[in-house]
Amino acid sequence: MSQPTTRERIEEKADELFYEAGFGATSFADIADAVGISRGNFYHHFKSKDDILDAVISRRLAATRRMLDEWEVDATPKERILSFIRILITNRTKIMAFGCPVGTLTTELAKLEHVAEDRAAEIFELFREWLACQFRALGHGDDAEPLALHLLGRSQGVAVMASAFKDEAFISSEVAQIEVWLDQHSNQPQTKG
Amino acid sequence: MSQPTTRERIEEKADELFYEAGFGATSFADIADAVGISRGNFYHHFKSKDDILDAVISRRLAATRRMLDEWEVDATPKERILSFIRILITNRTKIMAFGCPVGTLTTELAKLEHVAEDRAAEIFELFREWLACQFRALGHGDDAEPLALHLLGRSQGVAVMASAFKDEAFISSEVAQIEVWLDQHSNQPQTKG
DNA sequence: TGACAATTAGGACGACTGTCCTAACTCTCG
DNA sequence: CGAGAGTTAGGACAGTCGTCCTAATTGTCA
């Protein structure tokens, strides 16, 4: 592990700030202060704010791929899906404060009619395809895709409500219910949804 | 019905713009243009942007109460809950474009650490209490509150995913599933959750 | 050491932000 | 008609935004 470059440090801090304060509400001054560099220095590394957003999305895409890869070491597809579900528990503090980083970014970019909206949604696609793959491994055919989307939606709902009510018990309760749902869809796979 | 006052027209347009573009991304100039009045005229009606936000939230609270009241005419608690679920169908076009107005506003205000965050969450509370009331009428006791929160979360999840993927079929499919879930929780109420 | 590229700091820029002020206008009522 | 309150338009304001420029600094290699 070498020292992170200035560019990498900008991406890292921008990633954090875009998550915690939102893309629109994060200014160059905010990022510069967080990194500890001068404002003018910025345009040597990124040619615009949209350029930083693009780098942040790429960064998140890469981080997601890495995380999904790591989960592949889990023995069974069911355990892999459980790893996904339990992000809600692992990241509960940040989720209660700022929501889901993927959901909130795509939502904000949709309202801004920002060109990067589709790229942000690619992170969702990554999860969806990976989950569908796991459901297929569980014996689901045409159901795999809808099941993946459904699970994605369930976790997004948990994130939104947990953030609105700052309710940790709600997260635990919902995660437990989703695990029951997963049981029902992993032990005796159905041919009809 | 009398002509709407200027104040009411400002609230109405601000409400729309806060929903479609977000609170932070909506400027006074945007609202003034939409209403068709001068910028300076604004501060005769509202003393600050936060003041407009407050009025918009009050407006939404009132509209929600009115809607919930109207649903009370539905014959059974189950039908009332169905009315709630079917907002997702009725408003699908706007939801696919901008998400849920309640969820996206609370999410944004949470990131902004805005004082009005709690007031925005009150709209959620209105739905939660009303839904819990309906579940109690269906014979649920301690389960009523968790069931209400669960249903709220499910619809939020649908809204987020529908907006991210612009997927109308997903909304229909999820609504159908939620209706099945409601069947299971209205025909033979359980004593354990 | 000297030359040259990469990196940095700091400030200028025009546009836009929320806020506030003032002068003009419209309406109502005596 | 004329007075006075309510309402309006338009611009000034200090600050911040994203962007860009230039000069100084650092690092690298002959």
Side-chain angles (χ1 to χ4, degrees):
Chain A
M1 297 286 176
S2 58
Q3 291 281 47
T5 64
T6 302
R7 189 189 159 93
E8 284 166 346
R9 289 195 302 139
I10 293 174
E11 288 180 9
E12 183 189 336
K13 291 296 180 185
D15 194 342
E16 281 180 30
L17 288 167
F18 288 176
Y19 175 35
E20 299 179 2
F23 169 71
T26 301
S27 70
F28 273 74
D30 295 331
I31 304 172
D33 285 354
V35 178
I37 58 168
S38 121
R39 234 157 288 110
N41 187 6
F42 249 98
Y43 283 78
H44 186 260
H45 301 279
F46 299 94
K47 70 174 195 293
S48 70
K49 197 185 177 188
D50 289 352
D51 207 35
I52 299 185
L53 175 60
D54 223 58
V56 166
I57 294 175
S58 297
R59 195 184 145 87
R60 293 192 185 179
L61 279 166
T64 304
R65 287 199 191 91
R66 213 178 307 125
M67 185 171 64
L68 296 177
D69 275 352
E70 282 170 17
W71 290 343
E72 288 291 335
V73 305
D74 291 341
T76 66
K78 186 180 167 181
E79 278 175 20
R80 289 178 207 143
I81 298 173
L82 279 173
S83 292
F84 167 79
I85 295 168
R86 287 176 184 151
I87 314 179
L88 288 168
I89 304 288
T90 311
N91 298 344
R92 63 186 181 282
T93 308
K94 290 223 150 198
I95 288 173
M96 283 190 291
F98 314 111
C100 166
V102 189
T104 56
L105 182 64
T106 54
T107 299
E108 180 180 2
L109 295 183
K111 283 182 197 274
L112 297 177
E113 299 189 85
H114 197 287
V115 285
E117 186 194 346
D118 292 345
R119 282 210 75 212
E122 275 182 43
I123 311 178
F124 266 139
E125 307 248 26
L126 234 47
F127 279 110
R128 193 189 53 161
E129 285 165 20
W130 184 87
L131 285 170
C133 184
Q134 306 309 318
F135 280 112
R136 260 180 244 111
L138 281 175
H140 292 276
D142 292 348
D143 278 353
E145 288 276 351
L147 286 172
L149 255 181
H150 175 84
L151 180 51
L152 224 39
R154 288 283 285 270
S155 17
Q156 284 302 307
V158 174
V160 172
M161 299 308 296
S163 153
F165 289 113
K166 319 288 177 203
D167 188 341
E168 188 165 345
F170 171 75
I171 300 181
S172 314
S173 154
E174 287 289 316
V175 165
Q177 285 182 58
I178 296 174
E179 290 183 3
V180 169
W181 171 88
L182 179 60
D183 266 335
Q184 292 164 353
H185 288 83
S186 49
N187 294 331
Q188 57 274 352
Q190 310 288 323
T191 52
K192 276 197 69 78
Chain B
M1 297 285 178
S2 58
Q3 292 281 47
T5 65
T6 302
R7 189 189 160 93
E8 284 164 347
R9 289 195 302 139
I10 293 174
E11 288 180 9
E12 184 190 335
K13 290 296 180 185
D15 194 341
E16 282 179 30
L17 288 168
F18 287 177
Y19 175 34
E20 299 179 0
F23 169 71
T26 301
S27 71
F28 272 73
D30 295 332
I31 304 173
D33 285 354
V35 178
I37 60 168
S38 118
R39 235 159 286 110
N41 187 7
F42 249 99
Y43 283 77
H44 187 261
H45 301 280
F46 300 93
K47 70 175 197 291
S48 70
K49 196 184 177 187
D50 289 351
D51 207 34
I52 299 184
L53 176 60
D54 224 57
V56 166
I57 293 175
S58 297
R59 193 185 149 85
R60 293 192 185 180
L61 279 166
T64 304
R65 287 198 190 90
R66 214 177 309 125
M67 186 172 64
L68 296 177
D69 275 352
E70 282 170 17
W71 290 344
E72 289 292 334
V73 304
D74 291 342
T76 67
K78 186 181 167 182
E79 279 175 18
R80 288 177 208 142
I81 297 172
L82 279 173
S83 293
F84 167 79
I85 295 168
R86 286 175 185 152
I87 314 179
L88 288 168
I89 304 288
T90 311
N91 298 345
R92 63 187 181 282
T93 309
K94 290 222 150 199
I95 288 173
M96 282 190 292
F98 314 112
C100 166
V102 189
T104 55
L105 182 63
T106 54
T107 299
E108 181 180 0
L109 295 183
K111 283 181 196 275
L112 296 176
E113 299 188 86
H114 196 287
V115 285
E117 186 193 346
D118 292 344
R119 282 210 73 213
E122 274 182 44
I123 311 178
F124 267 139
E125 308 248 25
L126 234 47
F127 280 110
R128 193 189 54 162
E129 285 165 19
W130 184 86
L131 285 170
C133 184
Q134 306 310 318
F135 280 113
R136 260 180 244 111
L138 281 175
H140 292 276
D142 292 347
D143 277 354
E145 287 277 350
L147 286 172
L149 255 182
H150 176 84
L151 180 51
L152 225 39
R154 288 283 285 269
S155 16
Q156 284 302 308
V158 175
V160 172
M161 298 309 296
S163 153
F165 288 111
K166 319 288 178 202
D167 187 341
E168 189 165 345
F170 171 75
I171 300 181
S172 314
S173 154
E174 287 289 316
V175 165
Q177 285 181 59
I178 297 175
E179 290 183 3
V180 170
W181 171 87
L182 179 60
D183 267 336
Q184 292 164 351
H185 289 83
S186 49
N187 293 330
Q188 57 273 352
Q190 311 286 325
T191 51
K192 276 197 70 75

